[in-house]
Structure formats: C-alpha cells, structure tokens
C-alpha cells in the first residue's frame, strides 16, 4: 500500500478530469488528457507549489477549506469527497479534533422532553442537539420527513441531510433560505472552539464544498426563532410550514415544531396522519 494515498488520489482525479469537464479550453500539446497542476490550482484558489506538495506527500495536513475547494474543482461525488476526507485524516495520523476536555454533546432527549413530544402528536416536532443531530421526534414528523430521506442516517442530522443528500434540494423549494438559517444557527449558537462543531464544519466543508463553507464563513446572517418552509412531499404534495423553535438551554437542545401555514397544508397533513379533514387548523403567518 502506498504511504501517499492522499497525493495519489488527488493526482489520479486531476488526470481523470478533462479541461472541458472543468469548463476550460482543451488547448494543444497536452501531455495528459486531464488537468494540469496549474489549472487545478487556479480552479481551487491555491498555489501550484502547494498542490505539488500535496500530490508528492510533502504536505499531509491540508485544511478543510482547501479540500472542499479541490473537491469542488474536481466535481467529486459525495462518496469521493468522503474518501478524500478519510485519506487526509489517515495521512495526518488520526483525528486532531479529539479532545479529552471537550464538553459533552447530548445524544439523547430526557424523558420529560420525550413525554412532551408524545403529547404533541400528530404534530411534526423534533428535538435536536447543538450540531443538528435529531435526538427524538414525533410520529407526525416521521410521516412528514421519512419519505424524503431525512431520517435515513443514524443519527439523522439536519445539516448533513440538507447539504449532502440530493433529495433535499428537490424536497425544499426554498432550499437556500433553509440552508442559510441552519448554518447561521450552527455558526452563532455554538462556541467556535467547540470540537463537535469544528468536526462537523470540517466534514461539510469537504463533502458539501462552497455551498456550506461560504455560509459558514458569513457572520452577517443570524438565526431566526421562527421561520417557514415550503416542502414538496412525495405523498402529501406542496406543503407550506411554519417553524417555531424552543430552547432547552441546560441540555444545549432545541424543540422544533412545524405547523401548517395555510388551509391546504392543514388538510394535506390531516390526510397524511389519517385524521378527519379539518382536525388540524392552519396557523397563518404573522410576519
């Protein structure tokens, strides 16, 4: 096995991507059908010298931002982005973010919060921790988001789903606004030196690229306690939902509740939940 798997991976992909695929003119007298180092470096916004060091194994610790830019420039698939990230960690000797003094990240919702969710059925409601892991949810929420794949991972994570699952862009008509809000909450709701935040941010910078990295770097966007979503549901059709967020500060958790914004959505949710028409009333946007 090569001791420079990261460099081998980058070079192999650079040579496999044609200039046309990268939006560049083919030119003449090319030694390889792929990209020259200078071309990939320009596309990724890094120096040729640095890319050379990476390919030759003389630098084995590129930042997540550099990896994300290279993945974007090479148009890597999600699986290849995840492999790129794993090779980088292995080349660097492990995960530098593991810290014995790191604060404990909540992985479960306490029994009283679960009891609260039970009493909210069949309303779509969930509990998340500070990095967006879904810790508990109502059956109504599962019927709402299960068909679009949001709960497929273990544990489900709102940000990972939104930025790396292709189904999310089809499901959310207002994907950009939902993405802005989720990243703003991640950016402003957690101390920047939190290792769990840093790990997720580095992961998504690589796997999602500029779509996530540019938002994460933007300090101007602040999270909202209330909001709205426009969801295209494969069974219930077009749904307009209002979102209310309640903080559980002692645990670093939030309860998120999704309610119908109009009568058509209320009727669709009634059908989805097997309730008589009119059982759920629309809330209506207040501003």
């Amino acid at each position: 096995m090569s001791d420079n798997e990261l460099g081998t991976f980058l070079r192999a992909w650079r040579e496999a991507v044609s200039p046309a695929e990268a939006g560049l003119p083919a030119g003449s007298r090319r030694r390889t059908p792929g990209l020259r180092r200078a071309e990939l470096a320009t596309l990724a916004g890094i120096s040729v010298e640095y890319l050379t060091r990476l390919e030759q194994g003389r630098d084995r610790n590129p930042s997540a931002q550099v990896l994300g830019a290279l993945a974007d420039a090479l148009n890597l698939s999600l699986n290849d982005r995840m492999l790129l990230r794993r090779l980088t960690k292995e080349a660097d000797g492990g995960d530098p973010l593991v810290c014995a003094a790191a604060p404990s990240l909540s992985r479960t919702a306490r029994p009283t919060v679960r009891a609260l969710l039970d009493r909210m059925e069949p309303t779509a409601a969930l509990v998340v921790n500070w990095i967006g892991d879904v810790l508990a949810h109502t059956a109504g929420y599962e019927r709402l988001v299960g068909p679009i794949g949001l709960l497929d991972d273990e544990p489900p994570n709102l940000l990972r789903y939104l930025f790396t699952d292709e189904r999310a862009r089809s499901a959310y008509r207002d994907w950009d606004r939902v993405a802005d809000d989720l990243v703003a909450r991640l950016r402003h709701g957690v101390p920047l030196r939190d290792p769990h935040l840093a790990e997720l941010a580095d992961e998504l910078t690589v796997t999602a690229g500029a779509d996530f990295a540019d938002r994460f770097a933007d300090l101007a966007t602040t999270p909202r306690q209330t909001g709205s979503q426009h969801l295209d549901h494969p069974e219930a059709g077009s749904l307009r939902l209002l979102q209310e967020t309640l903080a559980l500060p002692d645990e670093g958790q939030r309860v998120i509740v999704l309610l119908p914004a109009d009568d058509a959505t209320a009727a669709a949710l009634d059908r989805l939940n097997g309730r008589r028409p009119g059982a759920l009333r629309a809330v209506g946007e207040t501003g």
Side-chain angles (χ1 to χ4, degrees), residues 44 63-78 80-82 84-85 159-160 162-165 169 175 179 183 200-217:
S63 69
Q65 288 74 20
V66 167
L67 291 177
L70 286 167
D72 283 350
L74 294 169
N75 196 28
L76 297 186
S77 68
L78 175 59
D80 288 320
R81 287 169 183 263
M82 293 172 68
L84 174 62
R85 183 170 179 266
L159 288 116
R160 191 176 288 116
L162 193 72
F163 282 97
T164 65
D165 195 312
R169 292 180 184 265
W175 186 93
V183 176
L200 180 64
D202 279 359
E203 173 193 332
L204 291 178
T205 296
V206 178
T207 57
D211 278 342
F212 173 82
D214 290 349
R215 286 178 167 88
F216 192 70

Side-chain angles (χ1 to χ4, degrees), residues 134-216:
V134 179
L135 308 181
H137 55 79
T138 62
Y141 183 72
E142 184 170 0
R143 284 188 286 269
L144 178 66
V145 304
I148 63 173
L150 196 154
L151 299 177
D152 285 0
D153 287 343
E154 185 57 43
N157 181 279
L158 298 181
L159 288 116
R160 191 176 288 116
Y161 168 76
L162 193 72
F163 282 97
T164 65
D165 195 312
E166 292 181 358
R167 293 172 291 185
R169 292 180 184 265
S170 299
Y172 288 98
R173 289 193 186 183
D174 49 355
W175 186 93
D176 284 302
R177 188 156 58 87
V178 174
D180 288 345
D181 192 55
L182 274 180
V183 176
R185 185 168 296 283
L186 183 74
R187 190 74 166 83
H188 291 269
V190 186
L192 289 181
R193 296 185 65 83
D194 175 75
H196 308 290
L197 166 66
E199 170 68 7
L200 180 64
D202 279 359
E203 173 193 332
L204 291 178
T205 296
V206 178
T207 57
D211 278 342
F212 173 82
D214 290 349
R215 286 178 167 88
F216 192 70

Side-chain angles (χ1 to χ4, degrees), residues 246-270:
L246 309 172
L248 302 173
D250 290 344
E251 289 78 17
Q253 298 175 2
R254 292 173 285 129
V255 177
I256 300 173
V257 185
L258 299 172
L259 298 165
D262 53 38
D263 291 336
T265 298
L269 291 178
D270 281 338

Side-chain angles (χ1 to χ4, degrees), residues 24-254:
L24 299 173
S28 58
R29 295 188 177 182
R30 303 186 71 89
R31 297 180 184 177
T32 172
L35 297 176
R36 299 186 178 102
R37 277 185 181 144
E39 291 170 332
L40 177 56
T42 298
L43 290 170
I46 62 176
S47 69
V48 178
E49 292 76 12
Y50 185 54
L51 178 58
T52 302
R53 293 203 306 272
L54 289 176
E55 289 191 358
Q56 293 177 349
R58 292 186 287 119
D59 189 311
R60 300 181 182 224
N61 189 28
S63 69
Q65 288 74 20
V66 167
L67 291 177
L70 286 167
D72 283 350
L74 294 169
N75 196 28
L76 297 186
S77 68
L78 175 59
N79 286 339
D80 288 320
R81 287 169 183 263
M82 293 172 68
L83 176 58
L84 174 62
R85 183 170 179 266
R86 180 175 65 79
L87 292 176
T88 304
K89 286 184 175 296
E90 291 176 355
D92 192 38
D95 187 349
L97 294 171
V98 175
C99 176
S104 176
L105 178 67
S106 55
R107 299 292 186 183
T108 59
R110 67 175 186 263
T112 51
V113 176
R114 289 180 175 271
L116 175 63
L117 291 183
D118 289 342
R119 285 157 177 76
M120 297 174 70
E121 293 285 8
T123 298
L126 65 153
V127 180
V128 296
N129 60 18
W130 67 68
I131 62 170
D133 290 335
V134 179
L135 308 181
H137 55 79
T138 62
Y141 183 72
E142 184 170 0
R143 284 188 286 269
L144 178 66
V145 304
I148 63 173
L150 196 154
L151 299 177
D152 285 0
D153 287 343
E154 185 57 43
N157 181 279
L158 298 181
L159 288 116
R160 191 176 288 116
Y161 168 76
L162 193 72
F163 282 97
T164 65
D165 195 312
E166 292 181 358
R167 293 172 291 185
R169 292 180 184 265
S170 299
Y172 288 98
R173 289 193 186 183
D174 49 355
W175 186 93
D176 284 302
R177 188 156 58 87
V178 174
D180 288 345
D181 192 55
L182 274 180
V183 176
R185 185 168 296 283
L186 183 74
R187 190 74 166 83
H188 291 269
V190 186
L192 289 181
R193 296 185 65 83
D194 175 75
H196 308 290
L197 166 66
E199 170 68 7
L200 180 64
D202 279 359
E203 173 193 332
L204 291 178
T205 296
V206 178
T207 57
D211 278 342
F212 173 82
D214 290 349
R215 286 178 167 88
F216 192 70
D218 182 7
L219 289 172
T221 304
T222 56
R224 299 168 296 169
Q225 289 298 106
T226 60
S228 62
Q229 301 175 7
H230 195 166
L231 187 68
D232 279 329
H233 194 276
E235 299 171 16
S238 178
L239 303 174
R240 292 184 65 249
L241 301 162
L242 298 178
Q243 176 179 307
E244 192 71 37
T245 302
L246 309 172
L248 302 173
D250 290 344
E251 289 78 17
Q253 298 175 2
R254 292 173 285 129

